[in-house]
């Protein structure tokens, strides 16, 4: 590590680890050295190591397996929309276990109110799904999804990732995403489900997803999380 460089130590360490991956010194599937080993061999502190690892996890090069260690995931990260739209993906690359509880799962007609909210075609049918998202057994997010109705929807377990259902099961290609984020006060039901008090602000994310060769919005989601989500351990 060059302590006289303008490049922060964690970025130098990140680049060094990445070089080992790209040059096959550390191959896909192998476990990389522990935090302590990286601290010792590079003469840096724990925070430097954690920042470097966090960036490579976010970029898809590394994956954490909780209680085991950190492993090389890919020599080159995949380019795609899943890291942007999937909470499950974000949690899993950090070694955190998520669970989804389906509160509502039914096919509904799109009326004027739903069409205005979702930008979907009026009078079409869609699948409406409400879910409560957990991480490590604690409620993290409320999710309200409107998805164009497909013939094989009934066979899919919507406790699993909806984004992976779209990308992998249905083999759809995302063409565009629109998103709006606002800060709001929690409703009584939101306080109860998310186990937050009246002083906790919530982030409400409205997301419209467009699919290649499909007319209009294919998938709309309203996602509600505590505003301090980015201060949480993951």
């Amino acid at each position: 590590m060059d302590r006289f460089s303008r490049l922060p130590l964690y970025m130098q360490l990140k680049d060094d680890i990445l070089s080992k991956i790209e040059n096959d010194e550390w191959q896909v599937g192998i476990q990389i050295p522990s935090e302590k080993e990286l601290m010792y061999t590079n003469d840096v502190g724990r925070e430097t190591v954690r920042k470097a690892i966090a960036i490579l996890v976010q970029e898809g090069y590394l994956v954490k397996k909780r209680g085991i260690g950190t492993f090389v995931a890919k020599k080159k990260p995949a380019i795609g929309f899943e890291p942007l739209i999937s909470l499950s993906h974000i949690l899993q690359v950090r070694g955190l276990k998520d669970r989804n509880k389906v509160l509502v799962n039914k096919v509904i007609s799109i009326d004027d109110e739903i069409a205005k909210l979702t930008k979907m075609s009026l009078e079409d049918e869609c699948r409406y799904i409400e879910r409560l998202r957990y991480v490590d057994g604690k409620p993290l997010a409320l999710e309200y999804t409107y998805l164009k109705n497909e013939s094989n929807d009934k066979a899919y377990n919507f406790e699993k990732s909806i984004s992976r259902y779209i990308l992998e099961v249905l083999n759809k290609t995302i063409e565009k995403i629109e998103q709006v984020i606002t800060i709001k006060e929690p409703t009584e039901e939101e306080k109860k489900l998310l186990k937050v008090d009246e002083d906790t602000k919530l982030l409400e994310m409205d997301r419209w997803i467009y699919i290649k060769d499909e007319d209009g919005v294919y998938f709309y989601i309203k996602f509600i999380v505590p505003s301090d989500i980015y201060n949480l351990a993951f």
Side-chain angles (χ1 to χ4, degrees), residues 34-220:
S34 66
E35 285 185 1
K36 287 185 178 179
E37 290 173 305
L38 290 171
M39 289 165 59
Y40 177 76
T41 56
N42 294 280
D43 192 24
V44 293
R46 187 179 300 275
E47 188 63 23
T48 296
V49 172
R50 287 183 173 175
K51 282 185 176 181
I53 296 298
I55 293 171
L56 291 168
V57 166
Q58 182 65 42
E59 292 180 350
Y61 289 99
L62 299 176
V63 61
K64 288 186 175 182
K65 296 184 180 180
R66 197 164 193 188
I68 302 175
T70 304
F71 294 76
V72 179
K74 295 175 183 176
K75 188 173 180 178
K76 293 187 177 181
I79 298 174
F81 280 102
E82 186 177 1
L84 301 178
I85 67 171
S86 174
L87 177 62
S88 293
H89 176 90
I90 293 170
L91 295 173
Q92 286 168 13
V93 296
R94 286 162 174 75
L96 297 169
K97 184 175 179 57
D98 70 315
R99 179 175 68 86
N100 306 315
K101 181 180 180 181
V102 177
L103 305 177
V104 177
N105 178 7
K106 61 183 180 180
V107 176
I108 61 173
S109 296
I110 299 177
D111 57 20
D112 289 331
E113 184 177 351
I114 294 172
K116 183 178 179 180
L117 174 68
T118 65
K119 303 181 184 179
M120 289 180 169
S121 299
L122 186 64
E123 297 179 354
D124 281 353
E125 285 190 339
C126 71
R127 182 164 294 277
Y128 173 64
I129 303 163
E130 289 183 18
R131 302 197 303 181
L132 182 56
R133 312 289 304 270
Y134 292 84
V135 60
D136 285 350
K138 298 177 182 179
L140 178 68
L142 282 166
E143 189 181 83
Y144 305 91
T145 297
Y146 296 80
L147 175 67
K148 276 196 176 179
N149 194 30
E150 298 279 354
S151 59
N152 57 347
D153 278 351
K154 290 182 180 180
Y156 188 74
N157 178 6
F158 283 101
E159 290 182 354
K160 298 180 180 179
S161 170
I162 295 178
S163 63
R164 288 184 185 172
Y165 170 68
I166 294 170
L167 296 173
E168 297 176 11
V169 177
L170 299 180
N171 198 27
K172 302 290 186 180
T173 300
I174 294 175
E175 193 168 63
K176 183 175 73 169
I177 298 174
E178 297 175 348
Q179 180 165 284
V180 175
I181 302 176
T182 55
I183 298 176
K184 57 167 280 187
E185 303 286 343
T187 65
E188 290 301 319
E189 182 175 2
E190 289 164 352
K191 285 189 285 188
K192 179 180 177 181
L193 291 172
L194 293 174
K195 300 189 185 304
V196 297
D197 57 34
E198 60 275 4
D199 295 325
T200 301
K201 303 291 186 184
L202 299 180
L203 292 179
E204 182 174 278
M205 292 178 273
D206 293 278
R207 184 180 292 154
W208 297 265
I209 297 176
Y210 298 80
I211 297 296
K212 186 177 180 181
D213 299 325
E214 295 272 357
D215 294 330
V217 171
Y218 184 85
F219 171 34
Y220 164 82

